[in-house]
Amino acid sequence: MFIIRLVLLIFLELLHITHGWNQDSKIQDDLTLIGDNEYHNPLMMPNFIKRQSRIEYDADGSLHVLNSIIDSDNIAEWTPISSNLSAGQRDLYVFTVNTDSFTSGFSPTYEILIFISGNICNANDLPTDVELYVIYAFNDTVTDDQSNAYKVTFEDGYMEIVAVSPIQYDSGSNATSLYSYLYVAIEPRNSTTGQPLDSSAYPGVKWEYHLSISENDLVYQWDYRTWMDVLDTDEDSALLVTGAASGATAEYLLMNFTIDDTSLYDIYVYSYNDSLVIKEQFNKSICAIKNGNYLVSSEGNVASSDVQLDKKDLSIQKIIKNGPNSTNEYFYVTGLNKSTTYVAYLTKKIGKSGNLSDVGGIIFEHVKFQTKDDNTCSLIHSLDFCKDVAYSVPTSSLYLGNKTLMAQAYENISMSLYSNFSKALQLIPCDTESDARYSPLRTCDDCDESYRNWLCSVSIPRCTTGTSTYYMYREKNKNRNTYIDEQIQPLKNYYEILPCIDMCYGIVRDCPSSFGFSCPDIDSTPNLLFNSYNFYNGNEDFVSCNLMGNDTETVNY
């Protein structure tokens, strides 16, 4: 904790030096700015406030704002303002700095950090030669003299900035903010000249936006990572999964919600064409993505262990899966069109005072996926025994149109093959003293997990219609084993994404040597190896082999 505080103090000191505050010129008397009216307490304001400036032009054509910053709306801590502007209009806001509590629970030495963030909420094209400006200062003359103001523009529908207010100490050595108010102006301007627009420009066009100011965090955020992977698709469905989240993170941040909260993440699925509007101008705006012409969203859906694999309507099912040290949220999208490209945006709620906030949030970089051309492969997941199976398998001609029965048939094969291994493992002294066990580093649980992963991957083949030198072509009646020929009877010929050799290495490493497990060698038996397995290749933009279990011990080839 000492190191964290030290790093924070160094950071604040650098901000202090960088901004070079002229404290004397910006000190203002509270009463001369606001007076004693009801706006003095921002907590009394409603959740959303909208206000447009009154303007006029003189004989020379110069624009004048009739209302001053003193008459502007207050903006409350955290709660966003929702408004829209036409050409020639300007919105003005005042934020009251809380001088009694400081950012993120830390007692600052030099400054109070004030986080300003916002989104453009339009979901249709806006003029590309206009930018929405946010102008802020601790001086109430920001509307007339912007020499002491800071300016930032929305980029891809998003803006964020940190305003810094130095602190001062009274005679009792009590820290307080040097400034009581932050003044903010928002207006559309010409992107080349930086000048305000004429009121007659762009008739009918409005710039819709949300703006939030907080001393705790950025209410609106953008993350350059995708934080979501497309596990697989078939002709009418797709399975996506978030990055792994650890419960220790929420505990460390003293949050009152858990990573099992199914409202934490949501996705918005767009057709590829409709996603282009978002991509061009609003890719970083969670507000625009929620307002856009998306096909389906998971918002409001609750995760359930009762997954309906055969659902046909356009919908998204949420699934929470807990691993030994982390949790992932899965999104099963159904009712899609075959051979079609889609774009999915992942959003995440953020915490406020230890709880999830219903406003703002994080938008991640989008992911793109394409459904398969036909019903050669069927997507199955959420199995009881082979828990890590979450991919497309050869479609069974015996259970055509019923993924639930198909998944059960595949799992029955794996479970029947597992029974002999389970009996053999029971003969191993797993619970004896550590020096009497078969390994000082591995346990019977490790062996069981590795064997199950290996068994499920070789008895439930991963199917694709794409071609690659990594994949093995299978005729529908000549599969990896006779169990598939007899009990599944694939509908069509397909390509198999072979299991990763790492799962074979896993059972050799984790299980007793008396079991006699061994793996084909690349030097002595290369044909056997590449007819049965393949190597993981993280440099490819496709799946090079089928891996289940821990991916941190893979061998790249």
Side-chain angles (χ1 to χ4, degrees):
M1 181 61 68
F2 171 78
I3 295 176
I4 295 175
R5 285 184 174 274
L6 180 60
V7 170
L8 181 66
L9 292 177
I10 294 173
F11 170 71
L12 293 173
E13 173 65 13
L14 290 174
L15 283 176
H16 178 73
I17 296 172
T18 303
H19 284 276
W21 294 95
N22 181 350
Q23 299 181 5
D24 295 336
S25 64
K26 297 193 176 184
I27 299 176
Q28 301 293 332
D29 186 314
D30 294 355
L31 297 181
T32 62
L33 299 178
I34 301 296
D36 293 323
N37 58 47
E38 61 182 359
Y39 295 123
H40 197 277
N41 181 4
L43 298 179
M44 300 297 294
M45 300 300 294
N47 286 341
F48 293 96
I49 310 166
K50 176 180 176 182
R51 191 202 57 73
Q52 295 180 341
S53 300
R54 302 186 301 275
I55 59 175
E56 69 175 7
Y57 292 85
D58 59 20
D60 298 326
S62 299
L63 180 150
H64 294 278
V65 180
L66 296 183
N67 55 318
S68 71
I69 194 77
I70 299 176
D71 300 319
S72 62
D73 287 323
N74 272 48
I75 181 169
E77 161 73 29
W78 193 274
T79 305
I81 288 287
S82 177
S83 185
N84 61 74
L85 290 168
S86 299
Q89 293 182 327
R90 172 190 291 170
D91 279 354
L92 307 172
Y93 302 106
V94 176
F95 175 77
T96 303
V97 179
N98 186 348
T99 59
D100 296 324
S101 61
F102 297 117
T103 304
S104 304
F106 291 98
S107 297
T109 302
Y110 297 110
E111 291 103 357
I112 296 175
L113 305 183
I114 303 171
F115 300 90
I116 309 172
S117 59
N119 277 180
I120 292 179
C121 299
N122 298 66
N124 55 321
D125 288 328
L126 288 175
T128 57
D129 59 345
V130 177
E131 292 180 326
L132 194 61
Y133 272 69
V134 177
I135 307 152
Y136 66 95
F138 293 97
N139 192 314
D140 67 329
T141 61
V142 64
T143 55
D144 301 317
D145 179 12
Q146 298 180 2
S147 60
N148 291 323
Y150 296 88
K151 305 180 186 68
V152 62
T153 60
F154 283 79
E155 179 182 343
D156 295 329
Y158 174 69
M159 66 77 53
E160 65 172 37
I161 199 68
V162 178
V164 183
S165 174
I167 67 170
Q168 60 185 354
Y169 293 89
D170 60 20
S171 57
S173 298
N174 298 312
T176 184
S177 173
L178 185 61
Y179 306 117
S180 298
Y181 304 103
L182 177 70
Y183 304 93
V184 179
I186 302 181
E187 65 180 343
R189 293 186 175 188
N190 184 282
S191 58
T192 302
T193 65
Q195 296 301 310
L197 303 178
D198 187 280
S199 60
S200 62
Y202 308 104
V205 176
K206 288 185 177 294
W207 286 261
E208 302 173 12
Y209 69 88
H210 286 176
L211 181 75
S212 177
I213 304 179
S214 172
E215 293 180 40
N216 294 285
D217 200 355
L218 291 168
V219 175
Y220 295 95
Q221 300 181 28
W222 174 76
D223 196 320
Y224 68 91
R225 301 171 298 173
T226 56
W227 201 241
M228 181 168 62
D229 290 317
V230 180
L231 294 181
D232 214 339
T233 67
D234 59 15
E235 67 170 346
D236 59 6
S237 64
L239 185 63
L240 297 83
V241 61
T242 66
S246 169
T249 303
E251 182 178 347
Y252 172 76
L253 295 175
L254 303 179
M255 295 177 176
N256 295 330
F257 62 90
T258 70
I259 53 178
D260 293 326
D261 190 327
T262 57
S263 68
L264 183 62
Y265 291 103
D266 278 302
I267 65 169
Y268 296 79
V269 178
Y270 280 76
S271 70
Y272 178 74
N273 288 337
D274 285 334
S275 74
L276 294 178
V277 176
I278 299 293
K279 181 180 179 181
E280 290 298 323
Q281 291 188 299
F282 314 111
N283 205 40
K284 300 177 183 178
S285 170
I286 189 173
C287 183
I289 289 165
K290 288 183 175 183
N291 287 344
N293 189 31
Y294 57 84
L295 297 172
V296 63
S297 166
S298 66
E299 186 175 13
N301 297 350
V302 178
S304 172
S305 58
D306 183 22
V307 180
Q308 301 177 46
L309 292 178
D310 298 301
K311 202 166 186 179
K312 299 299 182 183
D313 61 316
L314 185 60
S315 62
I316 300 177
Q317 298 177 58
K318 288 183 175 182
I319 308 147
I320 297 288
K321 290 189 178 182
N322 294 308
N325 302 305
S326 62
T327 296
N328 299 83
E329 186 163 348
Y330 291 72
F331 300 94
Y332 181 44
V333 189
T334 58
L336 302 174
N337 296 323
K338 65 181 180 181
S339 190
T340 304
T341 300
Y342 297 91
V343 173
Y345 290 90
L346 176 69
T347 66
K348 181 182 180 182
K349 290 184 177 180
I350 57 178
K352 178 194 176 187
S353 301
N355 298 291
L356 290 179
S357 174
D358 289 328
V359 298
I362 305 171
I363 183 70
F364 295 89
E365 184 63 33
H366 67 274
V367 298
K368 186 167 60 174
F369 62 91
Q370 185 172 11
T371 51
K372 290 182 171 59
D373 298 336
D374 56 30
N375 63 348
T376 299
C377 309
S378 294
L379 178 58
I380 64 172
H381 56 89
S382 303
L383 280 61
D384 294 327
F385 179 75
C386 294
K387 297 181 182 298
D388 286 340
V389 169
Y391 50 80
S392 288
V393 298
T395 299
S396 171
S397 60
L398 303 177
Y399 307 102
L400 189 62
N402 194 323
K403 292 182 184 179
T404 302
L405 292 180
M406 193 184 310
Q408 184 177 337
Y410 274 109
E411 191 164 51
N412 287 340
I413 294 174
S414 301
M415 293 174 65
S416 65
L417 296 172
Y418 174 79
S419 59
N420 287 335
F421 166 81
S422 178
K423 294 175 183 177
L425 191 61
Q426 292 174 12
L427 301 177
I428 302 298
C430 298
D431 299 323
T432 187
E433 293 81 5
S434 58
D435 57 354
R437 295 175 185 172
Y438 70 89
S439 170
L441 301 176
R442 305 294 177 176
T443 67
C444 289
D445 289 338
D446 295 325
C447 175
D448 181 80
E449 181 181 0
S450 293
Y451 184 82
R452 186 181 304 216
N453 288 333
W454 172 83
L455 176 63
C456 291
S457 69
V458 298
S459 60
I460 307 179
R462 183 165 183 173
C463 172
T464 185
T465 54
T467 60
S468 168
T469 55
Y470 285 89
Y471 302 160
M472 178 66 67
Y473 180 73
R474 304 287 191 193
E475 295 182 7
K476 63 180 182 179
N477 58 348
K478 294 181 180 180
N479 293 275
R480 169 181 284 272
N481 54 61
T482 57
Y483 300 102
I484 305 299
D485 295 336
E486 297 169 358
Q487 299 181 41
I488 300 299
Q489 298 181 21
L491 181 67
K492 299 177 182 179
N493 302 335
Y494 64 96
Y495 285 90
E496 181 185 355
I497 303 177
L498 297 173
C500 294
I501 186 64
D502 307 273
M503 288 184 291
C504 185
Y505 295 156
I507 58 175
V508 173
R509 178 193 63 225
D510 296 339
C511 293
S513 59
S514 59
F515 283 8
F517 290 136
S518 63
C519 303
D521 182 72
I522 191 171
D523 295 321
S524 58
T525 56
N527 289 336
L528 177 60
L529 190 156
F530 288 109
N531 283 326
S532 305
Y533 303 97
N534 219 316
F535 286 91
Y536 175 80
N537 190 336
N539 296 322
E540 300 289 355
D541 59 357
F542 57 87
V543 179
S544 61
C545 63
N546 188 26
L547 178 68
M548 285 185 278
N550 190 352
D551 62 355
T552 62
E553 298 176 341
T554 54
V555 178
N556 281 271
Y557 177 73

